Amino acid sequence: MDDVAALISYRKRQDRWFQIAGLLCTLVGIVTLTVLLIDLARDGLTRIDWQFLTSFPSRRAERAGILSAWVGSLLVLLVTLVTAVPLGVAAAVYLEEYGRKSRMASLIEINIANLAGVPSIIYGLMALGVLVYGLGLARSVLAGGLTLAALVLPIVIVTTREALRSIPTAIREAAFAAGATRWQVVRYHLLPYSMGGIATGTIIALSRAVGETAPLITIGALTYIGFLPPPPWQSTPPYVNFRWLHSPFTVLPIQMFNWMSRPTEDFHRNAAATGLVLMALTLSLNALAIAIRYRVRRRIQW
């Protein structure tokens, strides 16, 4: 009995020390992030105004803005979303629900997991050879969006598969017992129940994509651009315009990098303000993921 009591006491001390170590690690991360945010806000918060958000870049720091950069970021993210999400969800559904367990399937799973950790510059080099030179897409919004779609596609696949695996097997068995086909099970049961996890993984993937710089620089995204792409709509039939897909672009991280390379403090303040806008966009995407997950879970419970 004494040995058992001593062992329990030892395990409790281990648990207590682990909690303290975890709390310290968390505090280190939070304090570091807070200091960086305070320093960034001190330099760039006073620079953010309507003129800064609606003006094009300029050689004069006080007149420069990020209009072309944040519009380019949103357009590239739109192409990334439209490309990566359908392909990623479809691939995850096939691998999880239709694909047979075999050596080939195991090899594909390993490769997908490994692709999620490949450095982003590798995707940029691949896109430069395949999209820019091979398919002739040039340095366009379409090439940038497809590059980031390839970058985040493994993340979408992995998170979707985990969301599907979290659904109890009893739901599948009950649907099959009622005479449903496999597609009906996927369409009416698995996808609705896993939508919260899929949405969370998708927006987290887009949050990573919005901050990427290396692959876009590799394919030739501009560091300075003084115009906007053509609008995606027009007044004449078919009322949809796809010319913006082939327009040159820049994004917020590249604009921030360009201003940080300047020697004057005024441009450094512009870069800090751009960093704050980029962080606000990223945090907004994460907040949207939390809201969607909460809403989907409440609807399923009801």
Side-chain angles (χ1 to χ4, degrees):
M1 293 296 295
D2 293 338
D3 294 338
V4 173
L7 180 60
I8 293 175
S9 177
Y10 174 72
R11 296 300 184 187
K12 288 184 177 180
R13 288 197 302 270
Q14 277 189 326
D15 183 64
R16 191 178 302 112
W17 282 112
F18 181 79
Q19 290 179 355
I20 294 174
L23 178 61
L24 290 177
C25 292
T26 304
L27 289 177
V28 168
I30 292 176
V31 170
T32 303
L33 181 61
T34 302
V35 171
L36 292 176
L37 283 176
I38 291 174
D39 182 67
L40 200 64
R42 183 183 57 188
D43 293 336
L45 193 59
T46 57
R47 186 66 184 87
I48 299 178
D49 53 20
W50 185 250
Q51 182 270 335
F52 182 73
L53 296 175
T54 58
S55 299
F56 291 104
S58 173
R59 288 178 291 181
R60 297 182 179 180
E62 66 277 4
R63 298 176 55 185
I66 58 171
L67 177 61
S68 56
W70 69 259
V71 170
S73 292
L74 292 180
L75 292 179
V76 170
L77 279 182
L78 177 61
V79 176
T80 302
L81 177 67
V82 171
T83 306
V85 174
L87 290 177
V89 173
V93 169
Y94 175 79
L95 291 173
E96 196 64 28
E97 301 298 329
Y98 289 90
R100 296 181 178 179
K101 303 301 180 182
S102 62
R103 292 184 178 180
M104 181 59 67
S106 300
L107 182 62
I108 292 174
E109 292 180 5
I110 294 173
N111 286 329
I112 290 174
N114 290 336
L115 285 174
V118 171
S120 59
I121 187 66
I122 304 300
Y123 289 95
L125 294 173
M126 178 201 68
L128 181 65
V130 176
L131 300 178
V132 177
Y133 294 141
L135 300 180
L137 297 181
R139 299 165 176 85
S140 61
V141 172
L142 180 60
L146 292 178
T147 301
L148 295 183
L151 175 66
V152 303
L153 184 60
I155 302 175
V156 177
I157 294 175
V158 171
T159 54
T160 301
R161 295 191 67 185
E162 292 299 326
L164 292 172
R165 288 174 182 173
S166 65
I167 300 175
T169 308
I171 294 179
R172 296 176 175 85
E173 295 175 348
F176 285 133
T181 64
R182 186 174 295 275
W183 168 243
Q184 288 174 330
V185 173
V186 172
R187 170 65 179 83
Y188 296 105
H189 298 280
L190 300 186
L191 288 180
Y193 276 92
S194 61
M195 192 57 65
I198 294 173
T200 301
T202 299
I203 297 179
I204 289 174
L206 292 179
S207 299
R208 178 188 175 184
V210 74
E212 287 294 339
T213 307
L216 299 181
I217 290 179
T218 304
I219 66 172
L222 301 177
T223 56
Y224 174 84
I225 184 169
F227 58 89
L228 292 179
W233 61 84
Q234 57 187 14
S235 58
T236 58
Y239 304 107
V240 179
N241 180 19
F242 293 102
R243 288 183 299 168
W244 60 274
L245 290 172
H246 302 283
S247 176
F249 72 99
T250 190
V251 292
L252 288 170
I254 293 179
Q255 186 64 71
M256 184 178 178
F257 171 78
N258 182 28
W259 280 337
M260 280 301 299
S261 62
R262 303 291 182 88
T264 59
E265 290 293 331
D266 291 338
F267 280 108
H268 292 175
R269 284 194 290 270
N270 285 352
T274 306
L276 289 175
V277 174
L278 182 60
M279 292 193 66
L281 178 59
T282 304
L283 293 176
S284 299
L285 290 174
N286 283 277
L288 180 61
I290 295 173
I292 291 175
R293 182 176 59 187
Y294 175 75
R295 186 178 183 87
V296 170
R297 287 181 177 177
R298 281 197 61 184
R299 187 175 61 184
I300 291 176
Q301 289 176 357
W302 285 103

